[in-house]
Amino acid sequence: MPGAQRAPFDRALLLVVPAAAFMLLLFIYPFLYGLALSFNPKEGGAMANYAHFFTTDNLWPTIWTTLRLAIPATIINVGLALPIAFKMRVKSRYQRFATTLLVVPITLGTVLIAEGMLTYFGPKGWLSQFLQFTHLYDGSIRLTHNYWGVLISLVISGFPFAFLLILSYITGIDPVLARAASTLGADPRSQFRHIYFPLLLPGLAMCFCLSFVQAFSVFPSAVLLGRRRARRA
Amino acid sequence: MISIAAYEAAFEQYDYSLASAIAMIMGFVQLVIVAAVLGLRNLMYRGPVTGGKG
């Protein structure tokens, strides 16, 4: 191209424009708009909304109820995904099957999971009917419309996400390192503790962050499974 | 859940201003946790996870 050398502007950069405009329009602008809006309350000074939030008894404790849900859910997700991903790191015959099975929930939306859980875990659902039929547990179980319902749905929807992230991290670790350790007499447990785990920790931290953010801001399962008639879950 | 609180403020009390304040607080709490975890991450090993010859 004759003009390409003279032009200091690389036209390939234009490819960034749609993505940048998308971010600007759909993320940065709404964020700034919301930020400005939050300082323009219906009545009172600029900080009136924040003052209202931290002085109203049914508003500020929602921070703790949400943290009380999101942090255990994240720890369960990451803690469960780690050993399973560790087992799945080597190629085996059933690896593809098991990975597919574990990833299926990610294709279901949170709403679908919540609806399914309402019929499965509900007071007249399969689970409680089965438990009562086999007399394993005769008391009434309450797993929907409370803390446990939301926690279970967060684990179902968040687990595949954590699993896939950890799997990609763990398969990136060179198995030669573990093999070298085994020539020095390290058993599988100390291979994990001294080689895989330290190398994996940064990835685990990343995975924890992403899972946490996902769990913290989840809305559909909280409404469908958590909310009681009178008070807020 | 804090997301429900924001929803109720916005669509049941029609106080968008309060709802966006709640959303900002929500984002701030997330940011604090993520920053804490990433801060811990910096204390750990970072570098290649491949073996190489040596």
Side-chain angles (χ1 to χ4, degrees), chain A residues 58-132:
Chain A
N58 66 352
L59 282 181
W60 67 265
T62 56
I63 294 180
W64 304 120
T65 45
T66 314
L67 282 178
R68 226 159 40 104
L69 263 167
I71 289 179
T74 312
I75 291 171
I76 291 171
N77 282 341
V78 176
L80 265 180
L82 177 61
I84 298 175
F86 188 68
K87 275 283 169 204
M88 293 281 155
R89 79 191 187 283
V90 282
K91 274 214 163 71
S92 65
R93 224 163 353 131
Y94 57 92
Q95 186 209 31
R96 182 180 292 252
F97 172 73
T99 312
T100 313
L101 201 70
L102 288 170
V103 166
V104 163
I106 215 170
T107 62
L108 308 168
T110 38
V111 176
L112 202 64
I113 291 172
E115 282 298 325
M117 278 183 60
L118 282 178
T119 44
Y120 183 78
F121 289 113
K124 288 254 183 291
W126 295 355
L127 185 73
S128 75
Q129 283 191 7
F130 174 76
L131 287 180
Q132 269 155 17

Side-chain angles (χ1 to χ4, degrees), chain A residues 31 34-35 37-38 40-42 49-50 53 66 69 172 174 199 201-202 205 216-219 222 227 232-233, chain B residues 1-4 7-8 13-14 17-18 20-22 24-26 29-30 33-34 37 41 44-45 49-51:
Chain A
F31 176 78
L35 189 66
L37 192 65
S38 72
N40 284 313
K42 276 180 180 169
N49 277 326
Y50 294 92
F53 181 86
T66 314
L69 263 167
D174 199 338
L199 285 173
L201 265 177
F216 190 83
S217 55
V218 76
F219 181 66
R227 191 133 78 147
R232 186 178 288 137
Chain B
M1 296 291 283
I2 195 166
S3 52
I4 297 181
Y7 171 83
E8 282 177 355
Q13 298 161 22
Y14 296 106
S17 177
L18 178 63
S20 43
I22 295 174
M24 289 300 145
I25 291 165
M26 188 171 158
V29 174
Q30 287 182 344
I33 302 269
V34 168
V37 173
R41 180 182 189 251
M44 295 181 261
Y45 168 83
V49 289
T50 47

Side-chain angles (χ1 to χ4, degrees), chain A residues 179-196:
Chain A
R179 232 178 291 153
S182 70
T183 63
L184 299 170
D187 55 345
R189 179 190 293 220
S190 43
Q191 282 174 30
F192 178 77
R193 247 198 74 206
H194 295 292
I195 294 175
Y196 278 109

